[in-house]
Every structure is written in structure tokens, then in C-alpha cells.
Amino acid sequence: MLGGKKWQKADPSGRIGQIVFFGTFIHAIDAKGRTSLPARFRESLTAGGEPRIVLMQYPHWKAIQALPQSVWSELVKKVMEASPLDARYQRSVLKFVSSAHEVDLDPHGRVLVPPALRDYAGLSKDVAWVGMGRTIHLFDKAAYEQQMASEIPAEEVVDFFKG
């Protein structure tokens, strides 16, 4: 300890800890597919030294998953280590990883969502950006509301406080 403060461990890039995204934000998406990334998420990316995000289809529901560049890089390493003869793995790469698009934010903090991903997620007028910890999900607002209204069976609820 120095000066009463505890030292924090930083990774080689100089960041302390990991970026964590949380919260839900409703934004509009225009006819060209531009939507604003919430300011809180932009600030987290900037603080974490993340220059861009990668958008891809999410496998469990009709949504887009937005990954910080560092999380995308981890995923790419796993893809490169997989056997090209593992059919199950390669189907997932084809279905989801191949849909990936690296995107930069414009000077106004907007993201251009490619047409194929907009179609996949059914994005229309209003969208919901949802912080999911290490990643962000982008839903059509109506699909998000439907997902939130559905009940999770008791046996599927995860107890995050359990040791």
C-alpha cells in the first residue's frame, strides 16, 4: 500500500480490469441503418482503449451481438485453433462468426448496422441496446420487450450469488 491506496493489477495494455457493459437504452435506427451507441457504452469502450466493435448474429435469439475488439480477438483465436474437420464447430462458425462486421463509430457516436444483420435481427424503427457484461446486444425494441416479458422456468434461473 502506498498513500493508503491499494495497488490494482493492470493488464499489459495498461487497462485495469475488464470493460463491463450494463443497462438498457432505447434508440432509433434510421433507414440507412445508423443508430447511436449509448454514451455509457461509448465511454466504456474509450476508457478501455477499444477502437471499434464487431457486430455479429447472436445464436440464441434474433439479436445482434456487439463485441469490443479485444473480445472479438479472443473469439478469433478460438476459431483459428478449431479443427476444420469438426463439423459442429464449423457450422457455428459459418452461421454466426461469418456474419461478423467490424464497425467504427462515426464522429456522432453512431454505428452503421449492415443490412444483413438488420434483417436477421428484424431491426426497424426503435432498437434496444442491452449491456450483457463483456458484450452488448442490439434488439428490435418489440423483440426485446417480448424477450423481457417471457418467464424463465425456475430450474433455468441462474443464481449468480451462489458460490
Side-chain angles (χ1 to χ4, degrees):
M1 297 217 330
L2 179 64
K5 293 185 180 181
K6 191 173 184 179
W7 289 92
Q8 292 182 334
K9 187 173 182 177
D11 70 14
S13 69
R15 292 188 298 231
I16 297 172
Q18 290 184 334
I19 298 173
V20 177
F21 301 100
F22 61 92
T24 301
F25 304 89
I26 306 300
H27 287 267
I29 188 166
D30 68 17
K32 294 180 182 177
R34 294 176 301 195
T35 182
S36 294
L37 186 67
R40 180 174 289 167
F41 295 166
R42 290 194 311 266
E43 290 165 3
S44 294
L45 288 167
T46 300
E50 297 284 354
R52 65 177 46 96
I53 58 175
V54 177
L55 304 176
M56 62 186 281
Q57 293 178 3
Y58 184 67
H60 301 294
W61 45 70
K62 295 292 184 180
I64 297 167
Q65 188 170 40
L67 309 170
Q69 189 70 43
S70 61
V71 175
W72 170 249
S73 295
E74 291 173 26
L75 179 66
V76 167
K77 286 178 190 174
K78 290 179 182 176
V79 167
M80 297 305 291
E81 291 170 358
S83 168
L85 301 178
D86 183 334
R88 182 175 155 249
Y89 201 92
Q90 294 305 318
R91 277 193 300 273
S92 290
V93 170
L94 176 65
K95 181 74 173 166
F96 305 108
V97 178
S98 70
S99 71
H101 291 271
E102 288 184 349
V103 296
D104 292 306
L105 279 69
D106 74 9
H108 305 286
R110 295 178 302 192
V111 172
L112 178 62
V113 181
L117 289 175
R118 289 196 314 263
D119 290 344
Y120 173 79
L123 303 184
S124 58
K125 183 182 173 193
D126 292 314
V127 297
W129 288 98
V130 182
M132 299 289 290
R134 292 183 69 199
T135 66
I136 304 165
H137 288 182
L138 178 61
F139 289 86
D140 181 74
K141 182 183 175 203
Y144 170 73
E145 289 171 347
Q146 182 179 11
Q147 190 67 248
M148 292 303 291
S150 66
E151 293 293 325
I152 300 174
E155 66 275 4
E156 292 183 22
V157 173
V158 175
D159 183 353
F160 293 108
F161 296 100
K162 190 175 184 177

